Amino acid sequence: ESVAKVADGKVTAVKSGYATITAKCGGKTAECTVSVTVPTGSVTLDKTTLSLAVGETAQLTATVKPDNATDKNVSWYSSDESVAKVDNGNVTAAKVGKAMITATCGGKTVECSVTVTVPVTGMHLDRTSLSLRKGESTLLSAVVTPSDASNKNIIWASSNSNIVTVNQSGLVKAISGGNATISALTEDGGYKAQCAVTVSTNVTGVTISKTSLSMIQGDTYTLSASIQPNDATNKDLIWYSDDSSIATVTSSGMVTAVDGGNTKITVKSSDGGYQDYCYVSVAADFHQAVDLGLSVKWSKFNYGASSSTEIGGYYLWGDPTGTAVIMQYSGPSQTTICGTDYDIVHKKWGGNWRLPTKSEASELYNKCKWEKTTLNGIAGFKVIGPNGNSIFMPATGYAYPANGPIGTTKIASTSSLCIMTGQSYSDSNGNFAYIFCINSDLSYSLRNWNINFAKFSVRGVR
């Protein structure tokens, strides 16, 4: 009765199993064998979808409910055994495609959708570096392995979209100068490859700082040039002179006037070959400015002289004609005449020639080496500049009034050098010029003389 009960011939199943029902009457008996079963309520799988690579396997597990169901035998079927086969729940991927695995038990079924793919095993780009000009575009290609991989989708990205952009087709576009990295990532497997991109900005023009330049022989002037646009990558410039016998130019744009004449200085951009020009006019320097490595250049010889050993004459301070008569002269009231119409050097030699200031005269003494010497029998001083260049300055003394007609002078201190500066001062006693003096013992002073009563030799600077 634990399996089946009977009452008045009515049999009630209790649990699964077997039982025999017996009927008796008048000494006679009859039997009925009863088999009690538990029907299948449901069947489920631990996975309803599977994604497998060709050759891979996966185990599906079926669960039959209720637990005491009589029939727990599960039957397995594949909708396409050329794609996926199944044996007792073990699924084997055969080729790329889709198949449905069905599990059946006690009239109940359940399915698992299987997708078979060829997985990506690697990826590389057709180029690992690129050089582009601003505005250019190019297409990068991602090569996925194996070639028959099912999912060849690539995710593209730029490390700096202000410099270079990339769309999802791999089209790279240069936006502005700089460096950036393009990255490609496979959807399947997450394989990554990169391409380093350098974007250069083209030069579109070059502009020189001066289009014309007037120079004196021996002068230098540094030209500059600007590249367009400002963010151009290659700003290298090439400088050259049409006639280097007149003016030369260095790679940094410094022009040196070599001799009188006209020439053209050209600046050219290395990128694109754009050019601009400066037309240079060089005046021959008959007064031969010498670069001693000081703040100004000193003339090779005195005003009024034609050689280094000549004194060149004596002049009143502030007299641009050089003809004023001592004791009949009244000088200008200005305290500085350097480069003005009262400056005899500036007035007669022109250009930027002028009298030295007292500080320039002091610089000549303090920064140069002085040697007492003779040149071609003329006593004087050799002045050697910080850069090694030198000039000869003859002993001059100075001229002062002497007995005789008005304007008669006498030379004093003939073993000393007395050179006029372009500066003076005034007090109640009159106007007094600063005179640069070197004595025979090489001692130095800036002496003061009344501008109306003494004459001095002149040495120009520029």
Side-chain angles (χ1 to χ4, degrees), residues 130-136 158-165 173-181 196-203 229-235 271:
L130 274 177
S131 294
L132 297 175
R133 293 185 181 273
K134 181 178 176 180
E136 285 185 337
S158 169
S159 65
N160 190 335
S161 57
N162 291 322
I163 294 174
V164 64
T165 61
K173 184 175 182 179
I175 303 300
S176 65
N179 298 296
T181 301
V197 181
T198 299
V199 178
S200 59
T201 303
N202 290 352
V203 172
N230 289 331
D231 63 344
T233 301
N234 182 357
K235 293 187 176 183
D271 178 12

Side-chain angles (χ1 to χ4, degrees), residues 118-186:
V118 175
V120 173
T121 59
M123 182 269 295
H124 67 273
L125 297 177
D126 60 339
R127 285 166 285 181
T128 57
S129 64
L130 274 177
S131 294
L132 297 175
R133 293 185 181 273
K134 181 178 176 180
E136 285 185 337
S137 297
T138 191
L139 187 66
L140 280 177
S141 295
V143 181
V144 175
T145 53
S147 59
D148 61 345
S150 300
N151 181 0
K152 293 185 177 181
N153 290 341
I154 301 294
I155 302 167
W156 296 89
S158 169
S159 65
N160 190 335
S161 57
N162 291 322
I163 294 174
V164 64
T165 61
V166 62
N167 66 16
Q168 292 309 303
S169 298
L171 182 65
V172 178
K173 184 175 182 179
I175 303 300
S176 65
N179 298 296
T181 301
I182 299 299
S183 297
L185 182 71
T186 62

